[in-house]
Amino acid sequence: MNTFKKTARRLAPLMLSVGLAFAAPATGFAKDLLTVNLVNEPATLDPHQQWNPDSYYVYRNIFDNMLTRDNAGEIEPQIATSWEQISDTEVVFDLRDDVVFHDGEKLTADDVVYTIERITNPDFASPQLGQFNKIIKAEALDDTKVKLTTDGPYPALLAQLVKLSIVPQHVASTMSSEEFNAAPVGSGPYKFVKWDRGVEVVVEMNDAYWGKKGPFETVSFKGVPDASTRMANLQAGTADLVVTLNADLADQLEASGRGVVKNVNTERVAYFAMNSTKAPLDNIELRRAIGYAIDREGIVEGLLGGYPKVVDQMLSPAHFGWKEGLTGFTYDPEKAKEIVAGLGDSAKAELELATSPVFDQRVVQAIQQMLTDVGLNASIEIVDMATWLKDQQTTNDQAPMLTFSRWSCACQDPDGIMYPLLHSSSNWSRYSDPVMDEKLDAARSELDLEKRADLYAEINMLALEKVAILPLYQAAIIYGASEQLEWQPTSNESMFLNRMAWSE
């Protein structure tokens, strides 16, 4: 029963070594202002209302989380310093006693309890609800001790708590989510300063931070939708770090000698979702035709420079439960054409393919062309990211017919990707099957790791058999950075400012 507590203790020296490895220069600040170019401005800075990359990059520095991961992906303490599983459904966490929020108020167990009750309240409608709704009770045992009770065994609990940002009860409980979004208060290494909509979000170093402080006095996050513009900003010195370059721009950046490429294969899985609850996509044969029509190898090698890795399951090698040897659809356009021809008029319906500028439009356009080439009628509908997110988190009858997307839960656990995308109770899921639901429920409650991994293999095989969703590739993310920026990208796509350093 003490496995988790022992693990936490073993992690203490590792946490110290990570802190030392990424320590900023000891004398003063190497750079007063760091400018980061995102694809879009954040959808929200309320950490319980979204975790898309542009939001997560910013708010993860404003808030501390219950737990975190080191750069190698191992779970380690943050607000919780140690934990003990006292039964199959109960875990007791010891909390730091030296954490203050940005307004000077001390963080206590009551704030942790409030945070969990907030994100698990169905009326709050957090898009992360499916990741935390196994927690049915949070109790403050004293100011620095919290007990969490789950609805049955929940082996993914620690992985999910990695992305649970702690909010101050005395602030958030007096505001709507929209108001908290406009003036977020956390306890992280950087404090919110301002959000000039359409221009930038500015944060500044938290002098009172309990942990390692960041090396930059001020950081500006700017939404720059065009990737070529982001790279031009980097080369001109008006940006120090830019996200989401494509392979061609990465090659140009390396050849220019003005900036460096930093890339990592992430836990993010690119996928193609089909709204199988509505005609004509309720026909499994049509979904099979789409599976044969998409040339995943061609997309990865021809468009993405070979950086990503084709996957046949809704997991990446960075996840627990990854299983070698699963085989999905091969590219067979002739087979796809044959199926489409046999479907008659039902295959002629217009299928809306929903997308947003945050996604690589070359991939979206390539998929549309592949579907057109086999006789299907797919049209691209592009909207801003905030609208896209709203359209995805809706009822099946209102949701788009087709969606290209890339999913990461920042938890590296299969429950964080497969449950929201495949369980019928999720407002992200476009698939409904009681057998799938039963297996997903069983997997998220199985404490035996070997049995749990086997269950996820069964779920992935069922998803392939029923063409519930089409996994495409493990996404690689390519950053461009100033040569003076010392930083290691991670598979969970966290951009921890206080793990960076600046060298002259």
Side-chain angles (χ1 to χ4, degrees):
M1 289 297 181
N2 294 321
T3 303
F4 291 154
K5 178 167 276 191
K6 291 176 182 176
T7 300
R9 288 172 179 161
R10 288 199 302 268
L11 284 169
L14 175 61
M15 185 166 59
L16 177 61
S17 67
V18 169
L20 291 173
F22 287 87
T27 57
F29 295 96
K31 187 174 175 62
D32 287 339
L33 173 65
L34 182 82
T35 300
V36 182
N37 280 187
L38 308 176
V39 178
N40 296 290
E41 68 177 0
T44 178
L45 294 180
D46 183 332
H48 301 159
Q49 283 295 349
Q50 204 45 257
W51 76 92
N52 68 82
D54 293 318
S55 298
Y56 189 71
Y57 285 141
V58 181
Y59 75 62
R60 188 61 182 86
N61 291 285
I62 298 173
F63 296 90
D64 284 320
N65 284 14
M66 191 72 165
L67 302 171
T68 189
R69 288 187 186 269
D70 64 20
N71 283 359
E74 298 298 322
I75 294 174
E76 65 178 17
Q78 192 158 67
I79 293 301
T81 58
S82 62
W83 46 93
E84 181 179 7
Q85 184 112 29
I86 62 173
S87 76
D88 283 354
T89 61
E90 297 170 299
V91 185
V92 174
F93 295 85
D94 292 312
L95 310 179
R96 298 193 67 91
D97 63 0
D98 58 349
V99 181
V100 295
F101 289 109
H102 297 153
D103 62 359
E105 292 291 323
K106 192 166 185 175
L107 186 154
T108 72
D110 289 336
D111 297 297
V112 174
V113 170
Y114 170 77
T115 292
I116 290 169
E117 290 177 345
R118 183 179 194 249
I119 203 168
T120 56
N121 181 357
D123 293 336
F124 183 71
S126 170
Q128 302 173 47
L129 176 61
Q131 315 301 287
F132 296 103
N133 61 1
K134 285 286 287 182
I135 304 173
I136 57 173
K137 190 175 184 181
E139 302 170 78
L141 304 182
D142 58 37
D143 282 352
T144 59
K145 196 180 291 288
V146 169
K147 183 172 77 170
L148 300 187
T149 303
T150 56
D151 179 14
Y154 188 40
L157 178 63
L158 296 184
Q160 298 294 11
L161 292 177
V162 164
K163 65 173 189 285
L164 181 67
S165 296
I166 308 303
V167 301
Q169 180 179 14
H170 67 280
V171 176
S173 64
T174 66
M175 296 179 168
S176 67
S177 178
E178 291 77 11
E179 290 169 331
F180 190 67
N181 170 45
V185 177
S187 63
Y190 279 82
K191 299 186 293 184
F192 173 79
V193 175
K194 68 174 183 176
W195 186 350
D196 187 356
R197 297 298 179 115
V199 180
E200 64 178 348
V201 176
V202 177
V203 298
E204 66 181 15
M205 195 197 70
N206 176 15
D207 288 321
Y209 189 55
W210 58 268
K212 181 176 170 297
K213 296 176 177 61
F216 315 108
E217 190 74 75
T218 306
V219 180
S220 169
F221 294 91
K222 299 183 177 182
V224 181
D226 181 68
S228 297
T229 303
R230 292 196 295 276
M231 190 176 79
N233 290 345
L234 174 67
Q235 294 181 310
T238 57
D240 304 297
L241 175 62
V242 303
V243 308
T244 319
L245 299 180
N246 60 41
D248 291 340
L249 289 174
D251 290 343
Q252 293 174 34
L253 181 59
E254 287 188 325
S256 73
R258 291 180 293 162
V260 295
V261 172
K262 294 179 180 289
N263 68 280
V264 65
N265 274 9
T266 71
E267 65 161 313
R268 189 173 296 277
V269 176
Y271 64 92
F272 198 67
M274 301 160 288
N275 193 341
S276 60
T277 67
K278 292 171 62 176
L281 290 170
D282 57 346
N283 187 330
I284 191 173
E285 291 304 311
L286 178 54
R287 302 199 302 274
R288 284 200 178 100
I290 293 173
Y292 287 121
I294 298 176
D295 184 0
R296 297 176 297 158
E297 290 282 358
I299 290 170
V300 166
E301 298 298 330
L303 294 178
L304 303 178
Y307 283 93
K309 174 183 177 179
V310 170
V311 293
D312 293 304
Q313 52 195 295
M314 284 304 298
L315 294 175
S316 77
H319 285 88
F320 164 79
W322 169 261
K323 184 176 178 62
E324 297 289 347
L326 290 184
T327 303
F329 283 90
T330 56
Y331 176 52
D332 191 341
E334 295 307 314
K335 179 68 173 176
K337 289 177 185 177
E338 179 183 336
I339 295 173
V340 169
L343 294 174
D345 290 343
S346 65
K348 296 178 182 178
E350 183 175 358
L351 302 173
E352 172 192 306
L353 199 174
T355 187
S356 171
V358 73
F359 303 117
D360 191 327
Q361 293 306 297
R362 299 174 306 163
V363 175
V364 176
Q365 291 163 12
I367 291 175
Q368 180 204 27
Q369 187 60 54
M370 291 169 189
L371 299 183
T372 300
D373 288 345
V374 301
L376 296 173
N377 181 16
S379 62
I380 294 175
E381 181 70 22
I382 187 166
V383 295
D384 63 87
M385 190 59 179
T387 302
W388 184 91
L389 288 165
K390 182 179 178 181
D391 291 345
Q392 293 295 318
Q393 300 167 71
T394 187
T395 58
N396 286 327
D397 61 321
Q398 296 293 320
M401 294 299 291
L402 302 173
T403 299
F404 167 78
S405 186
R406 307 183 315 159
W407 187 281
S408 167
C409 68
C411 64
Q412 296 178 238
D413 189 276
D415 184 68
I417 180 171
M418 298 175 73
Y419 199 92
L421 290 179
L422 290 170
H423 198 282
S424 63
S425 68
S426 168
N427 61 359
W428 288 94
S429 174
R430 304 282 81 90
Y431 185 71
S432 181
D433 176 5
V435 176
M436 179 69 78
D437 288 352
E438 181 181 353
K439 289 182 179 293
L440 286 165
D441 289 334
R444 69 173 1 198
S445 300
E446 178 56 66
L447 292 175
D448 184 297
L449 295 184
E450 186 175 346
K451 291 180 180 178
R452 188 167 184 249
D454 288 343
L455 277 168
Y456 281 114
E458 291 177 18
I459 292 166
N460 273 303
M461 288 186 286
L462 180 63
L464 287 170
E465 177 190 345
K466 301 295 186 180
V467 203
I469 197 168
L470 293 173
L472 301 177
Y473 53 84
Q474 176 192 16
I477 187 164
I478 305 173
Y479 304 87
S482 166
E483 293 177 354
Q484 284 72 48
L485 182 66
E486 298 175 8
W487 173 59
Q488 175 186 334
T490 59
S491 351
N492 60 15
E493 299 177 61
S494 297
M495 188 182 286
F496 293 105
L497 298 171
N498 64 340
R499 295 186 191 179
M500 298 179 180
W502 190 268
S503 63
E504 297 298 338

